[in-house]
C-alpha cells in the first residue's frame, strides 16, 4: 500500500495551491484520509480529514481557507489551499486511516495514531 503526494511548491502569500495524494494497494473508498503538516522545528500537526462517507474536519488554523475532497474513482484525495499565509509553509503529508468505515464524528480530534499509511510529503513554501 502506497500514498504518493504531489502539488507542493512556492507561492506568494494570498495565493493558492492544490495538493493531491494518489493511493494504491487498498480499497481507497473504504478508508478515511487525512492531511498533516510539519514545519521546521515543529511537531507534525493535523490539517484536515475526510471520512470514507465524505464528512470533513479541519484544524482551526485552516478552517475557511482549505478544502479537503476525494475522488474515489481516481483513488485520490485533494487539499485545496487558498489564502495561503507564511505560517502555512511546511511539508504536507497525506495519510490513510487505519480503520475501514470508521464512524465519523465532527468533533473528533484526529491524531497521528489514527493513520497507518503515510505519503512521502510535499513541500509548501509561502513567501511574504
Amino acid at each position: 500500500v502506497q500514498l504518493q503526494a504531489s502539488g507542493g511548491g512556492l507561492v506568494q502569500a494570498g495565493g493558492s495551491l492544490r495538493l493531491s495524494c494518489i493511493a494504491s494497494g487498498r480499497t481507497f473508498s473504504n478508508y478515511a484520509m487525512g492531511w498533516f503538516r510539519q514545519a521546521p522545528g515543529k511537531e507534525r500537526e493535523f490539517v484536515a480529514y475526510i471520512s470514507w462517507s465524505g464528512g470533513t474536519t479541519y484544524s482551526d488554523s485552516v478552517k475557511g481557507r482549505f478544502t479537503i475532497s476525494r475522488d474515489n474513482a481516481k483513488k485520490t484525495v485533494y487539499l485545496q489551499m487558498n489564502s495561503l499565509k507564511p505560517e502555512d509553509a511546511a511539508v504536507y503529508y497525506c495519510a490513510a486511516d487505519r480503520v475501514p468505515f470508521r464512524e465519523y464524528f465532527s468533533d473528533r480530534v484526529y491524531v497521528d495514531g489514527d493513520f497507518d499509511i503515510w505519503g512521502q510529503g510535499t513541500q509548501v513554501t509561502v513567501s511574504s
Side-chain angles (χ1 to χ4, degrees):
V1 181
Q2 289 187 328
L3 298 176
Q4 182 71 39
S6 63
L10 172 63
V11 64
Q12 286 189 329
S16 299
L17 281 175
R18 188 177 80 156
L19 306 183
S20 301
C21 175
I22 300 174
S24 62
R26 193 156 78 173
T27 305
F28 178 78
S29 59
N30 295 353
Y31 292 84
M33 298 292 295
W35 285 97
F36 287 73
R37 67 186 182 187
Q38 187 168 22
K42 295 187 177 181
E43 293 188 355
R44 187 160 58 187
E45 65 173 355
F46 168 77
V47 174
Y49 176 92
I50 185 165
S51 73
W52 67 274
S53 57
T56 58
T57 300
Y58 299 91
S59 67
D60 287 343
S61 62
V62 308
K63 198 174 296 182
R65 299 187 298 122
F66 290 12
T67 302
I68 188 171
S69 61
R70 65 189 299 155
D71 184 332
N72 289 336
K74 295 182 178 180
K75 297 185 177 181
T76 302
V77 60
Y78 303 97
L79 185 68
Q80 178 66 45
M81 305 185 296
N82 298 329
S83 302
L84 281 161
K85 304 175 181 179
E87 53 263 42
D88 293 319
V91 177
Y92 283 69
Y93 298 91
C94 58
D97 198 325
R98 66 175 61 251
V99 177
F101 303 113
R102 185 192 293 274
E103 189 172 5
Y104 173 72
F105 296 98
S106 61
D107 59 349
R108 189 180 192 280
V109 175
Y110 295 98
V111 296
D112 288 23
D114 291 324
F115 303 86
D116 62 344
I117 301 170
W118 294 81
Q120 85 287 4
T122 185
Q123 177 72 51
V124 172
T125 304
V126 183
S127 62
S128 57

PDB file of all heavy atoms in Angstrom, residues 14-43:
ATOM      1  N   GLY A  14      -1.323  34.764   0.103  1.00  0.00           N
ATOM      2  CA  GLY A  14      -2.590  35.076  -0.534  1.00  0.00           C
ATOM      3  C   GLY A  14      -2.914  34.190  -1.722  1.00  0.00           C
ATOM      4  O   GLY A  14      -4.054  34.196  -2.221  1.00  0.00           O
ATOM      5  N   GLY A  15      -1.934  33.431  -2.166  1.00  0.00           N
ATOM      6  CA  GLY A  15      -2.122  32.564  -3.311  1.00  0.00           C
ATOM      7  C   GLY A  15      -2.736  31.230  -2.948  1.00  0.00           C
ATOM      8  O   GLY A  15      -3.127  30.992  -1.798  1.00  0.00           O
ATOM      9  N   SER A  16      -2.800  30.352  -3.954  1.00  0.00           N
ATOM     10  CA  SER A  16      -3.446  29.057  -3.784  1.00  0.00           C
ATOM     11  C   SER A  16      -2.576  27.933  -4.321  1.00  0.00           C
ATOM     12  O   SER A  16      -1.769  28.137  -5.230  1.00  0.00           O
ATOM     13  CB  SER A  16      -4.788  29.029  -4.526  1.00  0.00           C
ATOM     14  OG  SER A  16      -5.685  29.995  -4.027  1.00  0.00           O
ATOM     15  N   LEU A  17      -2.775  26.764  -3.758  1.00  0.00           N
ATOM     16  CA  LEU A  17      -2.167  25.535  -4.243  1.00  0.00           C
ATOM     17  C   LEU A  17      -3.173  24.411  -4.038  1.00  0.00           C
ATOM     18  O   LEU A  17      -3.991  24.468  -3.123  1.00  0.00           O
ATOM     19  CB  LEU A  17      -0.887  25.186  -3.492  1.00  0.00           C
ATOM     20  CG  LEU A  17       0.407  25.911  -3.844  1.00  0.00           C
ATOM     21  CD1 LEU A  17       1.512  25.481  -2.869  1.00  0.00           C
ATOM     22  CD2 LEU A  17       0.831  25.629  -5.264  1.00  0.00           C
ATOM     23  N   ARG A  18      -3.069  23.390  -4.876  1.00  0.00           N
ATOM     24  CA  ARG A  18      -3.862  22.191  -4.659  1.00  0.00           C
ATOM     25  C   ARG A  18      -2.935  20.986  -4.564  1.00  0.00           C
ATOM     26  O   ARG A  18      -2.190  20.697  -5.501  1.00  0.00           O
ATOM     27  CB  ARG A  18      -4.892  21.961  -5.764  1.00  0.00           C
ATOM     28  CG  ARG A  18      -5.846  20.803  -5.425  1.00  0.00           C
ATOM     29  CD  ARG A  18      -6.928  20.585  -6.454  1.00  0.00           C
ATOM     30  NE  ARG A  18      -6.463  19.835  -7.605  1.00  0.00           N
ATOM     31  CZ  ARG A  18      -7.248  19.116  -8.405  1.00  0.00           C
ATOM     32  NH1 ARG A  18      -8.557  19.065  -8.151  1.00  0.00           N
ATOM     33  NH2 ARG A  18      -6.760  18.484  -9.450  1.00  0.00           N
ATOM     34  N   LEU A  19      -2.991  20.327  -3.434  1.00  0.00           N
ATOM     35  CA  LEU A  19      -2.219  19.114  -3.224  1.00  0.00           C
ATOM     36  C   LEU A  19      -3.068  17.906  -3.624  1.00  0.00           C
ATOM     37  O   LEU A  19      -4.292  17.908  -3.438  1.00  0.00           O
ATOM     38  CB  LEU A  19      -1.795  18.986  -1.768  1.00  0.00           C
ATOM     39  CG  LEU A  19      -1.049  20.169  -1.166  1.00  0.00           C
ATOM     40  CD1 LEU A  19      -0.630  19.837   0.273  1.00  0.00           C
ATOM     41  CD2 LEU A  19       0.135  20.568  -1.993  1.00  0.00           C
ATOM     42  N   SER A  20      -2.384  16.893  -4.116  1.00  0.00           N
ATOM     43  CA  SER A  20      -3.038  15.640  -4.474  1.00  0.00           C
ATOM     44  C   SER A  20      -2.312  14.483  -3.816  1.00  0.00           C
ATOM     45  O   SER A  20      -1.105  14.562  -3.567  1.00  0.00           O
ATOM     46  CB  SER A  20      -3.027  15.433  -5.995  1.00  0.00           C
ATOM     47  OG  SER A  20      -3.689  16.476  -6.671  1.00  0.00           O
ATOM     48  N   CYS A  21      -3.040  13.433  -3.562  1.00  0.00           N
ATOM     49  CA  CYS A  21      -2.453  12.237  -2.970  1.00  0.00           C
ATOM     50  C   CYS A  21      -3.140  11.029  -3.591  1.00  0.00           C
ATOM     51  O   CYS A  21      -4.348  10.840  -3.403  1.00  0.00           O
ATOM     52  CB  CYS A  21      -2.625  12.258  -1.458  1.00  0.00           C
ATOM     53  SG  CYS A  21      -2.058  10.768  -0.611  1.00  0.00           S
ATOM     54  N   ILE A  22      -2.366  10.243  -4.325  1.00  0.00           N
ATOM     55  CA  ILE A  22      -2.901   9.066  -5.008  1.00  0.00           C
ATOM     56  C   ILE A  22      -2.562   7.826  -4.197  1.00  0.00           C
ATOM     57  O   ILE A  22      -1.418   7.636  -3.783  1.00  0.00           O
ATOM     58  CB  ILE A  22      -2.324   8.950  -6.421  1.00  0.00           C
ATOM     59  CG1 ILE A  22      -2.694  10.190  -7.238  1.00  0.00           C
ATOM     60  CG2 ILE A  22      -2.832   7.697  -7.109  1.00  0.00           C
ATOM     61  CD1 ILE A  22      -2.053  10.224  -8.610  1.00  0.00           C
ATOM     62  N   ALA A  23      -3.581   6.993  -3.997  1.00  0.00           N
ATOM     63  CA  ALA A  23      -3.411   5.777  -3.214  1.00  0.00           C
ATOM     64  C   ALA A  23      -3.387   4.557  -4.119  1.00  0.00           C
ATOM     65  O   ALA A  23      -4.022   4.527  -5.180  1.00  0.00           O
ATOM     66  CB  ALA A  23      -4.550   5.645  -2.208  1.00  0.00           C
ATOM     67  N   SER A  24      -2.657   3.575  -3.669  1.00  0.00           N
ATOM     68  CA  SER A  24      -2.637   2.308  -4.389  1.00  0.00           C
ATOM     69  C   SER A  24      -2.547   1.171  -3.392  1.00  0.00           C
ATOM     70  O   SER A  24      -2.013   1.339  -2.296  1.00  0.00           O
ATOM     71  CB  SER A  24      -1.448   2.261  -5.358  1.00  0.00           C
ATOM     72  OG  SER A  24      -0.233   2.355  -4.644  1.00  0.00           O
ATOM     73  N   GLY A  25      -3.101   0.048  -3.752  1.00  0.00           N
ATOM     74  CA  GLY A  25      -2.916  -1.159  -2.967  1.00  0.00           C
ATOM     75  C   GLY A  25      -3.959  -1.442  -1.917  1.00  0.00           C
ATOM     76  O   GLY A  25      -3.874  -2.452  -1.220  1.00  0.00           O
ATOM     77  N   ARG A  26      -4.963  -0.588  -1.759  1.00  0.00           N
ATOM     78  CA  ARG A  26      -6.009  -0.840  -0.772  1.00  0.00           C
ATOM     79  C   ARG A  26      -7.303  -0.270  -1.336  1.00  0.00           C
ATOM     80  O   ARG A  26      -7.272   0.607  -2.198  1.00  0.00           O
ATOM     81  CB  ARG A  26      -5.654  -0.171   0.563  1.00  0.00           C
ATOM     82  CG  ARG A  26      -6.501  -0.610   1.722  1.00  0.00           C
ATOM     83  CD  ARG A  26      -5.783  -0.417   3.067  1.00  0.00           C
ATOM     84  NE  ARG A  26      -5.789   0.952   3.522  1.00  0.00           N
ATOM     85  CZ  ARG A  26      -5.347   1.331   4.735  1.00  0.00           C
ATOM     86  NH1 ARG A  26      -4.867   0.423   5.571  1.00  0.00           N
ATOM     87  NH2 ARG A  26      -5.361   2.589   5.084  1.00  0.00           N
ATOM     88  N   THR A  27      -8.424  -0.778  -0.831  1.00  0.00           N
ATOM     89  CA  THR A  27      -9.718  -0.270  -1.299  1.00  0.00           C
ATOM     90  C   THR A  27      -9.905   1.147  -0.767  1.00  0.00           C
ATOM     91  O   THR A  27     -10.361   1.357   0.357  1.00  0.00           O
ATOM     92  CB  THR A  27     -10.864  -1.176  -0.826  1.00  0.00           C
ATOM     93  OG1 THR A  27     -10.613  -2.512  -1.245  1.00  0.00           O
ATOM     94  CG2 THR A  27     -12.182  -0.701  -1.447  1.00  0.00           C
ATOM     95  N   PHE A  28      -9.541   2.104  -1.573  1.00  0.00           N
ATOM     96  CA  PHE A  28      -9.470   3.505  -1.177  1.00  0.00           C
ATOM     97  C   PHE A  28     -10.776   3.992  -0.575  1.00  0.00           C
ATOM     98  O   PHE A  28     -10.783   4.691   0.446  1.00  0.00           O
ATOM     99  CB  PHE A  28      -9.097   4.335  -2.403  1.00  0.00           C
ATOM    100  CG  PHE A  28      -9.039   5.811  -2.158  1.00  0.00           C
ATOM    101  CD1 PHE A  28      -7.939   6.382  -1.526  1.00  0.00           C
ATOM    102  CD2 PHE A  28     -10.064   6.645  -2.583  1.00  0.00           C
ATOM    103  CE1 PHE A  28      -7.877   7.743  -1.299  1.00  0.00           C
ATOM    104  CE2 PHE A  28     -10.011   8.010  -2.365  1.00  0.00           C
ATOM    105  CZ  PHE A  28      -8.907   8.566  -1.725  1.00  0.00           C
ATOM    106  N   SER A  29     -11.889   3.662  -1.208  1.00  0.00           N
ATOM    107  CA  SER A  29     -13.179   4.205  -0.795  1.00  0.00           C
ATOM    108  C   SER A  29     -13.607   3.751   0.596  1.00  0.00           C
ATOM    109  O   SER A  29     -14.514   4.344   1.180  1.00  0.00           O
ATOM    110  CB  SER A  29     -14.251   3.821  -1.813  1.00  0.00           C
ATOM    111  OG  SER A  29     -14.352   2.424  -1.939  1.00  0.00           O
ATOM    112  N   ASN A  30     -12.976   2.733   1.137  1.00  0.00           N
ATOM    113  CA  ASN A  30     -13.362   2.221   2.453  1.00  0.00           C
ATOM    114  C   ASN A  30     -12.713   2.969   3.611  1.00  0.00           C
ATOM    115  O   ASN A  30     -13.069   2.735   4.764  1.00  0.00           O
ATOM    116  CB  ASN A  30     -12.992   0.742   2.585  1.00  0.00           C
ATOM    117  CG  ASN A  30     -13.758  -0.145   1.631  1.00  0.00           C
ATOM    118  OD1 ASN A  30     -14.670   0.294   0.947  1.00  0.00           O
ATOM    119  ND2 ASN A  30     -13.361  -1.411   1.588  1.00  0.00           N
ATOM    120  N   TYR A  31     -11.784   3.846   3.290  1.00  0.00           N
ATOM    121  CA  TYR A  31     -10.970   4.460   4.332  1.00  0.00           C
ATOM    122  C   TYR A  31     -11.038   5.981   4.298  1.00  0.00           C
ATOM    123  O   TYR A  31     -11.030   6.594   3.221  1.00  0.00           O
ATOM    124  CB  TYR A  31      -9.506   4.029   4.182  1.00  0.00           C
ATOM    125  CG  TYR A  31      -9.285   2.576   4.469  1.00  0.00           C
ATOM    126  CD1 TYR A  31      -9.489   1.619   3.486  1.00  0.00           C
ATOM    127  CD2 TYR A  31      -8.873   2.144   5.734  1.00  0.00           C
ATOM    128  CE1 TYR A  31      -9.298   0.271   3.737  1.00  0.00           C
ATOM    129  CE2 TYR A  31      -8.672   0.806   5.992  1.00  0.00           C
ATOM    130  CZ  TYR A  31      -8.887  -0.117   4.995  1.00  0.00           C
ATOM    131  OH  TYR A  31      -8.693  -1.446   5.254  1.00  0.00           O
ATOM    132  N   ALA A  32     -11.052   6.556   5.494  1.00  0.00           N
ATOM    133  CA  ALA A  32     -10.896   7.993   5.600  1.00  0.00           C
ATOM    134  C   ALA A  32      -9.457   8.370   5.265  1.00  0.00           C
ATOM    135  O   ALA A  32      -8.547   7.547   5.354  1.00  0.00           O
ATOM    136  CB  ALA A  32     -11.228   8.444   7.016  1.00  0.00           C
ATOM    137  N   MET A  33      -9.279   9.637   4.903  1.00  0.00           N
ATOM    138  CA  MET A  33      -7.958  10.146   4.571  1.00  0.00           C
ATOM    139  C   MET A  33      -7.723  11.448   5.321  1.00  0.00           C
ATOM    140  O   MET A  33      -8.658  12.184   5.632  1.00  0.00           O
ATOM    141  CB  MET A  33      -7.849  10.408   3.068  1.00  0.00           C
ATOM    142  CG  MET A  33      -8.023   9.183   2.194  1.00  0.00           C
ATOM    143  SD  MET A  33      -6.659   8.000   2.377  1.00  0.00           S
ATOM    144  CE  MET A  33      -5.293   8.965   1.710  1.00  0.00           C
ATOM    145  N   GLY A  34      -6.461  11.726   5.567  1.00  0.00           N
ATOM    146  CA  GLY A  34      -6.134  12.951   6.269  1.00  0.00           C
ATOM    147  C   GLY A  34      -4.930  13.646   5.674  1.00  0.00           C
ATOM    148  O   GLY A  34      -4.159  13.049   4.925  1.00  0.00           O
ATOM    149  N   TRP A  35      -4.813  14.916   5.997  1.00  0.00           N
ATOM    150  CA  TRP A  35      -3.624  15.702   5.668  1.00  0.00           C
ATOM    151  C   TRP A  35      -3.045  16.254   6.971  1.00  0.00           C
ATOM    152  O   TRP A  35      -3.786  16.746   7.827  1.00  0.00           O
ATOM    153  CB  TRP A  35      -3.965  16.870   4.742  1.00  0.00           C
ATOM    154  CG  TRP A  35      -4.225  16.492   3.314  1.00  0.00           C
ATOM    155  CD1 TRP A  35      -5.439  16.285   2.734  1.00  0.00           C
ATOM    156  CD2 TRP A  35      -3.244  16.283   2.293  1.00  0.00           C
ATOM    157  NE1 TRP A  35      -5.284  15.950   1.407  1.00  0.00           N
ATOM    158  CE2 TRP A  35      -3.935  15.955   1.108  1.00  0.00           C
ATOM    159  CE3 TRP A  35      -1.849  16.344   2.238  1.00  0.00           C
ATOM    160  CZ2 TRP A  35      -3.298  15.688  -0.106  1.00  0.00           C
ATOM    161  CZ3 TRP A  35      -1.208  16.085   1.049  1.00  0.00           C
ATOM    162  CH2 TRP A  35      -1.924  15.752  -0.110  1.00  0.00           C
ATOM    163  N   PHE A  36      -1.748  16.134   7.086  1.00  0.00           N
ATOM    164  CA  PHE A  36      -0.995  16.699   8.201  1.00  0.00           C
ATOM    165  C   PHE A  36       0.103  17.573   7.616  1.00  0.00           C
ATOM    166  O   PHE A  36       0.399  17.515   6.418  1.00  0.00           O
ATOM    167  CB  PHE A  36      -0.373  15.588   9.045  1.00  0.00           C
ATOM    168  CG  PHE A  36      -1.360  14.827   9.896  1.00  0.00           C
ATOM    169  CD1 PHE A  36      -2.255  13.934   9.324  1.00  0.00           C
ATOM    170  CD2 PHE A  36      -1.387  14.993  11.272  1.00  0.00           C
ATOM    171  CE1 PHE A  36      -3.169  13.237  10.105  1.00  0.00           C
ATOM    172  CE2 PHE A  36      -2.281  14.292  12.064  1.00  0.00           C
ATOM    173  CZ  PHE A  36      -3.172  13.419  11.466  1.00  0.00           C
ATOM    174  N   ARG A  37       0.741  18.355   8.471  1.00  0.00           N
ATOM    175  CA  ARG A  37       1.882  19.152   8.022  1.00  0.00           C
ATOM    176  C   ARG A  37       2.885  19.279   9.139  1.00  0.00           C
ATOM    177  O   ARG A  37       2.549  19.175  10.317  1.00  0.00           O
ATOM    178  CB  ARG A  37       1.430  20.531   7.540  1.00  0.00           C
ATOM    179  CG  ARG A  37       0.870  21.437   8.636  1.00  0.00           C
ATOM    180  CD  ARG A  37       0.312  22.723   8.027  1.00  0.00           C
ATOM    181  NE  ARG A  37      -0.202  23.638   9.045  1.00  0.00           N
ATOM    182  CZ  ARG A  37      -0.862  24.756   8.776  1.00  0.00           C
ATOM    183  NH1 ARG A  37      -1.094  25.111   7.508  1.00  0.00           N
ATOM    184  NH2 ARG A  37      -1.295  25.533   9.754  1.00  0.00           N
ATOM    185  N   GLN A  38       4.124  19.510   8.722  1.00  0.00           N
ATOM    186  CA  GLN A  38       5.202  19.687   9.693  1.00  0.00           C
ATOM    187  C   GLN A  38       6.130  20.783   9.215  1.00  0.00           C
ATOM    188  O   GLN A  38       6.724  20.680   8.135  1.00  0.00           O
ATOM    189  CB  GLN A  38       5.982  18.390   9.895  1.00  0.00           C
ATOM    190  CG  GLN A  38       7.004  18.467  11.005  1.00  0.00           C
ATOM    191  CD  GLN A  38       7.561  17.116  11.379  1.00  0.00           C
ATOM    192  OE1 GLN A  38       7.524  16.171  10.588  1.00  0.00           O
ATOM    193  NE2 GLN A  38       8.073  16.998  12.589  1.00  0.00           N
ATOM    194  N   ALA A  39       6.221  21.824  10.013  1.00  0.00           N
ATOM    195  CA  ALA A  39       7.140  22.924   9.742  1.00  0.00           C
ATOM    196  C   ALA A  39       8.458  22.653  10.441  1.00  0.00           C
ATOM    197  O   ALA A  39       8.504  21.895  11.422  1.00  0.00           O
ATOM    198  CB  ALA A  39       6.525  24.228  10.223  1.00  0.00           C
ATOM    199  N   PRO A  40       9.547  23.257   9.976  1.00  0.00           N
ATOM    200  CA  PRO A  40      10.856  23.036  10.592  1.00  0.00           C
ATOM    201  C   PRO A  40      10.839  23.347  12.084  1.00  0.00           C
ATOM    202  O   PRO A  40      10.336  24.392  12.510  1.00  0.00           O
ATOM    203  CB  PRO A  40      11.763  24.009   9.838  1.00  0.00           C
ATOM    204  CG  PRO A  40      11.110  24.180   8.515  1.00  0.00           C
ATOM    205  CD  PRO A  40       9.637  24.133   8.789  1.00  0.00           C
ATOM    206  N   GLY A  41      11.346  22.426  12.875  1.00  0.00           N
ATOM    207  CA  GLY A  41      11.424  22.637  14.308  1.00  0.00           C
ATOM    208  C   GLY A  41      10.124  22.456  15.062  1.00  0.00           C
ATOM    209  O   GLY A  41      10.062  22.691  16.270  1.00  0.00           O
ATOM    210  N   LYS A  42       9.078  22.036  14.349  1.00  0.00           N
ATOM    211  CA  LYS A  42       7.779  21.860  14.994  1.00  0.00           C
ATOM    212  C   LYS A  42       7.299  20.421  14.835  1.00  0.00           C
ATOM    213  O   LYS A  42       7.759  19.695  13.961  1.00  0.00           O
ATOM    214  CB  LYS A  42       6.753  22.821  14.398  1.00  0.00           C
ATOM    215  CG  LYS A  42       7.053  24.287  14.644  1.00  0.00           C
ATOM    216  CD  LYS A  42       5.913  25.167  14.172  1.00  0.00           C
ATOM    217  CE  LYS A  42       6.168  26.622  14.489  1.00  0.00           C
ATOM    218  NZ  LYS A  42       5.051  27.491  14.051  1.00  0.00           N
ATOM    219  N   GLU A  43       6.363  20.060  15.679  1.00  0.00           N
ATOM    220  CA  GLU A  43       5.767  18.727  15.571  1.00  0.00           C
ATOM    221  C   GLU A  43       4.773  18.692  14.402  1.00  0.00           C
ATOM    222  O   GLU A  43       4.223  19.723  14.009  1.00  0.00           O
ATOM    223  CB  GLU A  43       5.055  18.364  16.875  1.00  0.00           C
ATOM    224  CG  GLU A  43       5.984  18.171  18.048  1.00  0.00           C
ATOM    225  CD  GLU A  43       5.262  17.631  19.272  1.00  0.00           C
ATOM    226  OE1 GLU A  43       4.025  17.502  19.232  1.00  0.00           O
ATOM    227  OE2 GLU A  43       5.948  17.341  20.266  1.00  0.00           O
TER     228      GLU A  43
END
